[in-house]
Every structure is written in structure tokens, then in C-alpha cells.
Amino acid sequence: MSIQIGDRIPSVKLKHLTAEGMEEVSTDDLFAGKKVVMFGLPGAYTPTCSAKHMPGFIDKLDALKDKGVDAVLCLSVNDPFVMKAWGEDQGASGKVDLLPDGNAELTKAMGLDFDGSGAGLGTRSKRFAMVVEDGVVKHVAVEDAPGGMEVSSAEKVLEAL
């Protein structure tokens, strides 16, 4: 079952790449005392993710901040090196925080994983967006299809805030 409104974000430790090298980050720390928008996508450098999903959140960052959002996180089942490079290519640095979930630990704990093996992708994240306040999910929207952008766009999140 997928994560629902009122659920807490699972406590997971992930690795991410910083200027100082590889660092561990805890979801407990990422969400504690903050209003966070987190969106997930099937993969860095994939068509819809690169052309629509990430750019939408970058473009709407100021509007999200105006609604009280402290941080915007992008979760994907990719390694930290790919996420860092993709974030730089997308112009997300300093705007959207890239959260690599290389082993799909957080994605699976939230019940938002799918099997992309048929397309050679392995385990991936469903496309979703959520609003989380102090670790508790206040809004969650999950797309029916990996390429869909009906409910998880930045515009839809703004409507939900």
C-alpha cells in the first residue's frame, strides 16, 4: 500500500554527493520542523522527467516558497553521481534538492516503487508529488502511468497548498 495523507515519512538514511564528498542524510532531518514538497520520478535524464517534471518545479519555486514551502526535494532511484550531474544539467542547484535513492529504500518504504525491468530500468519510483509538514504527509498525488503528468506537476501542488 502506498503512503497516505496522515502517514509519517519513513525513517531512512540515504547517500548524497556534496562539494565535500559523499554524505549520509536522514529523512528525519530533512523533514523535521519544515514544510517540504517532495516529488518523485522514474529517472534522471528520462524524457518527461527532464522536459517537464523537474523544470516545472524550478519554474514554480518562488510561488511554492510564497506558500510557505521551506524546501523542494526531488527523489529518484538513481545513484548520487547521476543525480548531482542531472541537477546541474537541469539548473536545479540551489533550488531543488536532489535526493538519490540508489537502493530504492525510501521509495519502497513509501510503497511508491514499480518494476521497470521490462524496459531495462529495474526498480523505479512512480511519478508523484507530496506536501509534508514536520514529517507528516498532508497531500499526496501519484500518477497512474510513469509518463503521466496529470496530478504531480508543480502547478497541481500549488493548487493543493
Side-chain angles (χ1 to χ4, degrees):
M1 184 161 134
S2 295
I3 196 164
Q4 301 290 315
I5 292 171
D7 290 347
R8 292 198 67 75
I9 294 293
S11 181
V12 175
K13 292 185 181 185
L14 302 170
K15 304 280 187 193
H16 73 123
L17 197 58
T18 70
E20 291 77 38
M22 195 70 68
E23 291 185 3
E24 190 171 81
V25 61
S26 164
T27 54
D28 296 333
D29 294 336
L30 285 173
F31 293 96
K34 299 176 201 144
K35 185 175 193 176
V36 176
V37 168
M38 179 168 65
F39 66 102
L41 39 85
Y45 293 106
T46 57
T48 303
C49 305
S50 293
K52 296 179 184 174
H53 212 183
M54 175 68 83
F57 282 94
I58 293 170
D59 291 344
K60 299 294 184 193
L61 183 64
D62 289 338
L64 291 165
K65 298 275 184 170
D66 289 347
K67 296 267 188 167
V69 172
D70 298 303
V72 177
L73 304 176
C74 174
L75 179 74
S76 185
V77 181
N78 288 112
D79 68 64
F81 301 99
V82 167
M83 289 295 279
K84 182 176 186 302
W86 185 58
E88 290 169 356
D89 286 351
Q90 288 283 302
S93 301
K95 298 172 185 171
V96 173
D97 296 319
L98 285 303
L99 192 57
D101 190 13
N103 296 324
E105 292 175 60
L106 180 57
T107 301
K108 287 179 180 178
M110 294 189 299
L112 294 172
D113 58 304
F114 77 93
D115 183 2
S117 298
L121 300 174
T123 300
R124 292 293 171 148
S125 172
K126 293 178 181 177
R127 187 177 308 284
F128 71 87
M130 64 177 67
V131 178
V132 182
E133 292 182 28
D134 196 23
V136 177
V137 177
K138 300 296 183 180
H139 167 79
V140 62
V142 182
E143 298 291 348
D144 289 330
M149 285 271 305
E150 305 301 316
V151 298
S152 66
S153 68
E155 292 81 8
K156 290 293 184 183
V157 170
L158 279 166
E159 289 175 14
L161 286 172

